[in-house]
Amino acid sequence: MNTEPAPRWRRLEPDERKEQIYACAARLFGERPYSEVSTSDIAAAAGVARGLINHYFGTKRELYLEIIRRALTVPRLAVEILPDGPLELRADVAIEWFLDMVTSQERMWLAAIAPEGIGRDLEVERILEEADRESADRVLEAVGLSSESDHGPELNALVRAFGGMVKAAGREWLVRGSLTREQVHLLLAKSLVTLVGEIFPVVQAAPPAPRQGRE
């Protein structure tokens, strides 16, 4: 029988080390304002040299922007795990996945939806818009639609509007405590079913809106 103690650490592969740095930075940015977190703090939390942060992510600002992007973008995995079945079931599973994700990174998600610590500059605004559009594309993909269709831009905009309610509901739950998780789940799941099952068909039955002048 081997009685030697297990090693206290192991050498991480580059991708693992990068994700470790990312996780530590996300935690720190979720706990403190942007200005109060330094790359030295992140390096100490991750147990790495500060230069490794610059190697993987560039500046502190670039790392923070990447954290915002990832915190607010729905990954393709969220679509792949959805079960076959009626819209109600798929919406229920999708919202449950989303609420689990928010719970696992509550402080960072709240900081990402209102990234005031870094200032609302054009690059931050662009990242927030890209995250909203890409996440809306994932929702359309989950229900068998595409933003490349004739009505795609309108459908994407409708999902982005729904996304605004998602963020507001999240704040009511996590910040104000005025809604429970179960109530937020009910609100979002039922609203998503109504959006896809009742509103989308009406929009798709009408002539597409002119593309000129759209964002």
Side-chain angles (χ1 to χ4, degrees), residues 54-72:
N54 301 128
H55 171 72
Y56 284 131
F57 297 100
T59 64
K60 182 183 85 166
R61 184 176 190 276
E62 289 172 320
L63 172 55
Y64 185 70
L65 293 177
E66 175 62 18
I67 289 171
I68 291 176
R69 182 183 294 108
R70 286 177 57 173
L72 296 182

Side-chain angles (χ1 to χ4, degrees), residues 15-35:
D15 286 348
E16 291 179 299
R17 181 67 73 190
K18 183 177 180 180
E19 286 304 306
Q20 180 190 37
I21 294 171
Y22 174 90
C24 291
R27 176 176 57 80
L28 291 176
F29 283 128
E31 293 173 351
R32 311 179 204 164
Y34 172 81
S35 61

Side-chain angles (χ1 to χ4, degrees), residues 104-126:
S104 70
Q105 53 176 353
E106 175 181 333
R107 291 182 178 178
M108 188 61 239
W109 185 79
L110 289 170
I113 64 176
E116 297 170 354
I118 196 172
R120 300 300 294 273
D121 62 24
L122 291 178
E123 188 172 9
V124 173
E125 294 291 345
R126 178 182 59 79

Side-chain angles (χ1 to χ4, degrees), residues 16-153:
E16 291 179 299
R17 181 67 73 190
K18 183 177 180 180
E19 286 304 306
Q20 180 190 37
I21 294 171
Y22 174 90
C24 291
R27 176 176 57 80
L28 291 176
F29 283 128
E31 293 173 351
R32 311 179 204 164
Y34 172 81
S35 61
E36 294 182 11
V37 178
S38 68
T39 52
S40 295
D41 294 331
I42 298 169
V48 301
R50 189 172 62 178
L52 200 57
I53 296 174
N54 301 128
H55 171 72
Y56 284 131
F57 297 100
T59 64
K60 182 183 85 166
R61 184 176 190 276
E62 289 172 320
L63 172 55
Y64 185 70
L65 293 177
E66 175 62 18
I67 289 171
I68 291 176
R69 182 183 294 108
R70 286 177 57 173
L72 296 182
T73 302
V74 175
R76 189 168 298 278
L77 173 65
V79 177
E80 295 173 349
I81 64 172
L82 293 180
D84 295 329
L87 173 60
E88 291 78 7
L89 173 63
R90 293 170 66 81
D92 187 71
V93 172
I95 296 302
E96 185 68 12
W97 174 89
F98 170 76
L99 296 179
D100 283 344
M101 181 276 293
V102 169
T103 300
S104 70
Q105 53 176 353
E106 175 181 333
R107 291 182 178 178
M108 188 61 239
W109 185 79
L110 289 170
I113 64 176
E116 297 170 354
I118 196 172
R120 300 300 294 273
D121 62 24
L122 291 178
E123 188 172 9
V124 173
E125 294 291 345
R126 178 182 59 79
I127 287 174
L128 294 174
E129 181 177 344
E130 288 176 355
D132 285 346
R133 288 182 181 276
E134 186 173 341
S135 296
D137 280 344
R138 291 284 184 270
V139 174
L140 294 178
E141 181 183 344
V143 296
L145 298 172
S146 170
S147 60
E148 300 300 320
S149 64
D150 288 342
H151 289 280

